[in-house]
Amino acid sequence: MAKRVKAKKLTHKTTVRIKPTVPFAFDYTLHKPDHFTSGDNRWEPGVRWQTWAWKGKALGLKFQNKGTIANPLIALSIFSVKALSKSFFDSLVKEVEYRYNLNLDLKDFYKKFSKDKVLGPAIKKLRGMRPGHPSSLYEYLIIGIVLQNASVRRSIQMFQTLLEHYGTLLEFNGRKLWCFWEPGGLKNVDEQALRALKVGYRAKSIKKIDEQFTNGLDEEKLRKQDRAIQMQELLKLYGVGPATVWYLLFDVFHHWDFFNHVSPWEQKIYSKLFFGRDPEKPVSVKKLLKHFERYGEYKQLAVHYIWEDLWWRRKKGEYIPWLEKEIRT
DNA sequence: CATCAGGGCCCTG
DNA sequence: CAGGGCCCTGAT
């Protein structure tokens, strides 16, 4: 399936140091085992390689853990074709800090919920974990579209194929990874061509989002608006509904306090986690949402901790039979 | 084999 | 505001 193409070699390397706020857990922040793996990143303990389209440049990033939870330090190496300016690096680092929430203050959240029966143990284990996602709004929208009405395996296939057709293969630090195309990159691609990649009816959404996005949607500006405006603007995008917006508000716009949607597979998992129920006989969405109210302004963050704890347990080798049944990769 | 549901959304009535 | 249809794929 992989197209045979020549990788763009990123021979320039610049390393900068980033000091996140304390406490900081490198692996729990830089790797989320529930996010589907794809050709744009690689993780191993203490290291993450990630491609990054930024201001017209296709970059390779390598994050290395050089500190501890109590005294954190990240070495970020930026690989590029040509040398880049100081102001370019500054803007990039600022964006990295934003997307991974490296300056987030978790004290109040921990103070409020460290003793919570369900959340407490997760906080203890994952102490220093930030929520966050490496994608821009545009990139996340494309990912959101391929998640719709599809199994994990199919989503991965669609995303990988899109990357391989419209992205750029980069080679840096001895690795080859695909980099996302820039917004507007599908201008000369018609819907039929997208359909040929087996994305199905999502072709229309992808195409329209690429158009609508280049026609004035500005991520920077939207970040500064309040949540209601953000929702309203996102829902205007063709193919974006409540489920996709819910993901976006958390992962891209960093609202920790907003929880209005539960998708069917998540409903099953939450039912088991929070109510001990058989996932096949899930608790109603309404009841789940009401349950999350106890976490107040941190409800989405709280669920993120419990959710990630579950996936890390699996990642670390614990066999969770009911979960395996729900995943169906 | 055929049929169906799936990590939604749009559109119609 | 409920419900049919949509692409494709793996499960049954």
Side-chain angles (χ1 to χ4, degrees), chain A residues 10 15 33 42 60 68-69 89 101 105 119 141-142 177 180 197 217 230 247 250 254 294 298 309:
Chain A
L10 308 180
T15 301
R42 183 93 359 141
T68 60
I69 291 173
F89 288 128
N101 293 291
D105 183 355
L119 184 50
L141 282 163
I142 303 291
L177 292 171
F180 229 101
L197 304 183
L217 205 158
Q230 292 170 343
Y247 286 126
F250 181 67
H254 304 176
R294 72 189 56 205
Y298 296 115
D309 177 44

Side-chain angles (χ1 to χ4, degrees), chain A residues 37-49:
Chain A
T37 51
S38 66
D40 75 337
N41 72 81
R42 183 93 359 141
W43 169 83
E44 60 188 52
V47 193
R48 182 184 176 94
W49 294 264

Side-chain angles (χ1 to χ4, degrees), chain A residues 101-118:
Chain A
N101 293 291
L102 300 183
N103 294 321
L104 184 66
D105 183 355
L106 292 160
K107 279 199 274 311
D108 186 52
F109 172 60
Y110 288 166
K111 201 173 120 196
K112 284 196 166 96
F113 297 110
S114 286
K115 298 225 163 64
D116 183 89
K117 215 171 70 189
V118 181

Side-chain angles (χ1 to χ4, degrees), chain A residues 8 40 44 131 145 153 205 212 222 235 238 312 315 317:
Chain A
K8 189 190 267 191
D40 75 337
E44 60 188 52
I145 297 292
R153 174 179 301 200
S205 308
Q212 293 179 67
L222 198 53
L235 286 169
Y238 187 91
W312 273 104
K315 180 108 194 171

Side-chain angles (χ1 to χ4, degrees), chain A residues 262-273 278-279 281-286 288 307:
Chain A
V262 179
S263 63
W265 75 294
E266 288 162 340
Q267 180 188 6
K268 290 181 189 173
I269 294 177
Y270 292 155
S271 295
K272 176 72 180 175
L273 287 177
D278 177 351
K281 293 175 189 135
V283 174
S284 74
V285 167
K286 206 175 151 191
L288 287 169
W307 182 256

Side-chain angles (χ1 to χ4, degrees), chain A residues 217-269:
Chain A
L217 205 158
D218 182 339
E219 178 175 2
E220 292 288 320
K221 270 190 204 154
L222 198 53
R223 278 187 201 164
K224 296 191 180 89
Q225 305 286 349
D226 64 33
R227 192 184 68 217
I229 302 284
Q230 292 170 343
M231 269 181 93
Q232 190 187 313
E233 290 303 307
L234 294 169
L235 286 169
K236 281 185 194 164
L237 298 170
Y238 187 91
V240 175
T244 308
V245 166
W246 178 77
Y247 286 126
L248 287 165
L249 288 176
F250 181 67
D251 279 329
V252 177
F253 292 97
H254 304 176
H255 293 287
W256 319 136
D257 60 340
F258 185 67
F259 218 120
N260 76 331
H261 186 272
V262 179
S263 63
W265 75 294
E266 288 162 340
Q267 180 188 6
K268 290 181 189 173
I269 294 177

